[in-house]
Amino acid sequence: MILVFCDPGDVRKLWNAHYNSLSEDYRRQYDNVNRVHNMVLTYMSVFLQSMGNKLDNFDLPTLKTDLSLQSGVFREVQEECSIVVEDDHLRAKEFLNPEQKYAYDEIMRHVCIDCTGVFFIDGPGGTGKTYLYKALLANIRKLGYIALATASSGVAANNMPGGRTVHSRFKLPLTPDNNSLCRIQKQSGTAQLLRLAKIIIWDEASMAKRQVVEAFDRTMQDISGVALPFGGKIMVLGGDFRQVLPVVRRGTRAQIVDSSLRMSPLWSSIINLRLTINMRALTDPWFSNFLLRVGDGVEETVDGSFIRIPDDMVIPYTDKEKSLDSLIDAVFPSLEFNRSKSDYIISRRIYYSVDEAIDDKNGFYLLEFLNSISVNGLPPHYLRLKVGCPIILLRNIDPANGLCNGTRLICRSFQQNVIDAEIAVGQHAGKRIFLPKIPLCPSDDDMFPFKLKRKQFPIRLCFAMTINKAHGKTIPNVGIYLPDPVFSHGQLYVALSRGVSRCNTKVLVKPNENSKGDGVYTANVVYKEVLHD
């Protein structure tokens, strides 16, 4: 992590200082000095390659023999073949409902007869899309095939065994256009992995810009030499077009709709093979039906787009401070109790960032000004934490081990240069990790007339998050604060559907000129042109 993110000045000095610690475990297993030396470098090489880097880029000793590959097999292929198939996932096919079973059987039929096909699994949250993916992945891997699990968000990727974000797996372009390709070399391990893959699952594909999906399609055809959609691979795309569409910075409605996968020329090849799951888990039938009506834009409205929030889900608005306190008490009922505990108060830490304008040769921008800047996607200058608080990761640190952008963690202890945290959800839940400070820059280069560089832990507190950041999450107690109405397609639906039931979902709406005397109303924005063919 230090090599990839922290730009150390003297790498060889770092190696010499810490080699004994790095090699301690291997020295207990092997007496051969050269073998231990190679094992340490090989382990480092595997991580560097997973982050798109390699040993040769740093001032490090060279491997005396190449142990990073065995029998000419690429590391990426080895990594996929080593995924352990869990018995629960193998047995999942026995518990599929009829619609899931139809989707499973149809996809497995294409796998068994080696027939190409592009499927779209369409269903709102709670329909069991992830459960279906796990059943497919486990049983296809059990047959000895390579099955790649990817998702547009780190949260969704962590819900699948071996899951990776599509950007880290496919090297997708960050600013795609209609002719973009993925940054994958034909002779690379990633290219070989894609050629060998029997099936590729891409969850939350509805969140991805169509240009990104099209870039992957062109890349797969180029890598495989097969002029069929996605190079003739069995492709399973999944998602929910009721949710927030791809983000187009300052985009109009027409531009946002045009970026959707449904507007892609590829959709004609997907639609004929699409499998639709239109059911929802009936743990709370009324809430499920209400969510579907909101998502489909058919809930009864007044003044065009304003819908009434059910009275038992509403936090009454009196004034801002008291109303917010009521919402917080509903979502975090233990905060008031813990406030009086001495260890809850003293186990706190403040970390300060190191900021600079890296292209400011004349020193126009004062340090105090740089420290005051708050940017989406960057941690704050003053990072205030306490043991037990929830945090969210802001960068892909180690996707193979669950450290993706959007991963939720719990702080366990603090050191001067690292934070000890525990992954809270997903397949890596419970794993303890150490987070270092790393240099970070805003993703939008034109946000400022200078390039801001902030060295800080790549995290933010996560007692609250934006609606867009909540994609893919299921939260036991949900509080939704709407000081202003939502402004884009699917935002209200995403916010409401994070909860598991009606009684555990509370909404606080600030009154405005559209408020009615007989209830609480808020806007529900739905672009129906992306919901129907």
Side-chain angles (χ1 to χ4, degrees):
M1 287 188 185
I2 292 172
L3 292 176
V4 173
F5 296 107
C6 300
D7 193 23
D10 192 338
V11 173
R12 185 58 68 100
K13 181 180 179 181
L14 197 65
W15 165 267
N16 291 334
H18 297 284
Y19 175 74
N20 286 338
S21 297
L22 292 169
S23 62
E24 181 180 6
D25 289 345
Y26 296 118
R27 284 188 278 113
R28 293 183 179 183
Q29 300 177 52
Y30 308 106
D31 295 327
N32 187 294
V33 175
N34 289 334
R35 182 171 179 81
V36 170
H37 182 270
N38 279 351
M39 292 295 287
V40 175
L41 288 171
T42 299
Y43 183 85
M44 293 175 63
S45 178
V46 167
F47 178 83
L48 288 171
Q49 289 182 51
S50 72
M51 297 302 293
N53 224 308
K54 54 184 179 181
L55 282 175
D56 295 344
N57 294 342
F58 304 96
D59 180 22
L60 288 168
T62 57
L63 282 165
K64 294 181 173 60
T65 57
D66 188 2
L67 297 180
S68 62
L69 304 178
Q70 298 176 3
S71 305
V73 178
F74 285 96
R75 176 198 59 81
E76 290 88 347
V77 178
Q78 289 182 351
E79 192 177 82
E80 282 298 317
C81 292
S82 65
I83 294 175
V84 177
V85 176
E86 297 185 17
D87 291 338
D88 288 347
H89 297 166
L90 282 173
R91 292 193 297 268
K93 64 180 181 180
E94 302 171 8
F95 304 99
L96 300 175
N97 62 46
E99 290 184 334
Q100 291 171 321
K101 187 70 165 59
Y102 175 72
Y104 175 88
D105 290 342
E106 185 66 13
I107 295 169
M108 288 300 294
R109 184 178 69 83
H110 280 70
V111 170
C112 294
I113 66 176
D114 197 23
C115 176
T116 183
V118 183
F119 302 86
F120 190 91
I121 308 299
D122 182 12
T127 56
K129 295 190 295 294
T130 302
Y131 191 78
L132 172 62
Y133 300 150
K134 289 179 179 179
L136 286 167
L137 291 167
N139 286 277
I140 292 172
R141 287 167 176 166
K142 188 68 174 179
L143 294 174
Y145 298 123
I146 291 178
L148 299 184
T150 65
S152 296
S153 70
V155 174
N158 277 337
N159 287 332
M160 296 183 287
R164 296 281 293 273
T165 62
V166 287
H167 281 85
S168 64
R169 173 61 78 195
F170 303 143
K171 311 295 188 295
L172 297 175
L174 295 178
T175 54
D177 55 38
N178 291 329
N179 298 303
S180 295
L181 289 169
C182 301
R183 295 171 287 107
I184 300 175
Q185 298 179 354
K186 281 190 173 183
Q187 294 76 29
S188 67
T190 299
Q192 180 66 3
L193 177 66
L194 292 172
R195 280 190 287 265
L196 292 174
K198 190 72 171 180
I199 184 173
I200 300 172
I201 294 177
W202 184 336
D203 193 18
E204 301 289 3
S206 55
M207 292 174 57
K209 292 182 178 179
R210 65 170 179 83
Q211 292 88 349
V212 167
V213 182
E214 291 165 3
F216 180 60
D217 170 53
R218 283 189 289 271
T219 302
M220 286 300 298
Q221 294 190 41
D222 180 52
I223 288 173
S224 63
V226 178
L228 290 172
F230 300 100
K233 293 295 177 184
I234 299 172
M235 194 78 189
V236 178
L237 304 169
D240 182 6
F241 287 103
R242 301 171 186 82
Q243 296 189 9
V244 176
L245 296 174
V247 176
V248 178
R249 192 178 177 200
R250 290 193 286 268
T252 64
R253 174 170 179 163
Q255 290 172 323
I256 294 172
V257 171
D258 180 67
S259 71
S260 170
L261 178 59
R262 277 190 181 271
M263 302 299 123
S264 171
L266 282 171
W267 190 252
S268 60
S269 63
I270 297 173
I271 194 68
N272 294 328
L273 297 169
R274 184 184 58 169
L275 303 173
T276 304
I277 302 178
N278 285 324
M279 39 67 69
R280 181 174 175 84
L282 296 179
T283 53
D284 189 342
W286 183 93
F287 190 55
S288 301
N289 292 328
F290 172 68
L291 290 178
L292 287 176
R293 294 196 303 272
V294 171
D296 290 331
V298 297
E299 177 71 4
E300 184 179 352
T301 63
V302 297
D303 296 338
S305 64
F306 281 77
I307 67 170
R308 180 171 178 171
I309 302 297
D311 293 343
D312 59 347
M313 294 172 58
V314 169
I315 297 290
Y317 192 97
T318 52
D319 62 66
K320 181 178 179 180
E321 185 174 340
K322 291 182 179 179
S323 300
L324 275 175
D325 285 345
S326 298
L327 183 65
I328 292 169
D329 289 340
V331 179
F332 299 104
S334 60
L335 283 183
E336 186 66 28
F337 171 76
N338 285 325
R339 185 187 298 177
S340 60
K341 292 185 176 181
S342 59
D343 58 346
Y344 186 81
I345 297 172
I346 64 175
S347 57
R348 298 184 179 188
R349 191 71 174 254
I350 298 178
Y351 292 101
Y352 301 90
S353 71
V354 178
D355 297 338
E356 61 176 313
I358 59 179
D359 53 355
D360 179 23
K361 297 180 181 179
N362 298 312
F364 290 138
Y365 303 101
L366 298 177
L367 184 60
E368 290 78 7
F369 167 69
L370 299 177
N371 293 162
S372 69
I373 295 175
S374 179
V375 185
N376 288 336
L378 286 190
H381 170 61
Y382 299 100
L383 186 58
R384 296 176 174 87
L385 304 172
K386 59 178 176 287
V387 171
C389 71
I391 55 177
I392 190 167
L393 199 58
L394 301 177
R395 290 292 186 274
N396 289 328
I397 299 295
D398 185 3
N401 290 301
L403 297 181
C404 301
N405 185 0
T407 298
R408 283 185 292 163
L409 308 104
I410 304 296
C411 291
R412 292 306 181 201
S413 69
F414 306 117
Q415 307 298 329
Q416 184 65 34
N417 298 310
V418 295
I419 293 175
D420 178 5
E422 178 182 325
I423 298 178
V425 295
Q427 60 172 320
H428 298 283
K431 182 183 291 185
R432 295 287 283 269
I433 54 91
F434 294 97
L435 296 172
K437 279 188 175 183
I438 64 174
L440 300 153
C441 296
S443 57
D444 299 318
D445 292 334
D446 59 343
M447 184 175 293
F448 303 108
F450 59 89
K451 192 171 183 64
L452 173 67
K453 180 180 178 181
R454 173 166 290 172
K455 188 174 183 180
Q456 179 62 286
F457 293 99
I459 59 172
R460 273 185 177 270
L461 274 171
C462 195
F463 284 105
M465 66 183 74
T466 64
I467 291 174
N468 281 32
K469 203 71 173 178
H471 262 291
K473 295 177 173 64
T474 299
I475 306 170
N477 295 287
V478 177
I480 303 166
Y481 179 43
L482 297 173
D484 297 297
V486 298
F487 54 86
S488 188
H489 167 88
Q491 286 183 317
L492 184 63
Y493 168 75
V494 169
L496 291 170
S497 60
R498 297 311 90 197
V500 296
S501 68
R502 175 183 185 176
C503 62
N504 291 336
T505 304
K506 301 299 179 183
V507 184
L508 174 60
V509 177
K510 183 178 179 180
N512 53 48
E513 64 271 12
N514 297 100
S515 301
K516 310 297 174 182
D518 57 347
V520 174
Y521 289 78
T522 192
N524 181 34
V525 182
V526 178
Y527 300 164
K528 294 189 178 181
E529 56 266 43
V530 301
L531 298 181
H532 307 291
D533 303 325

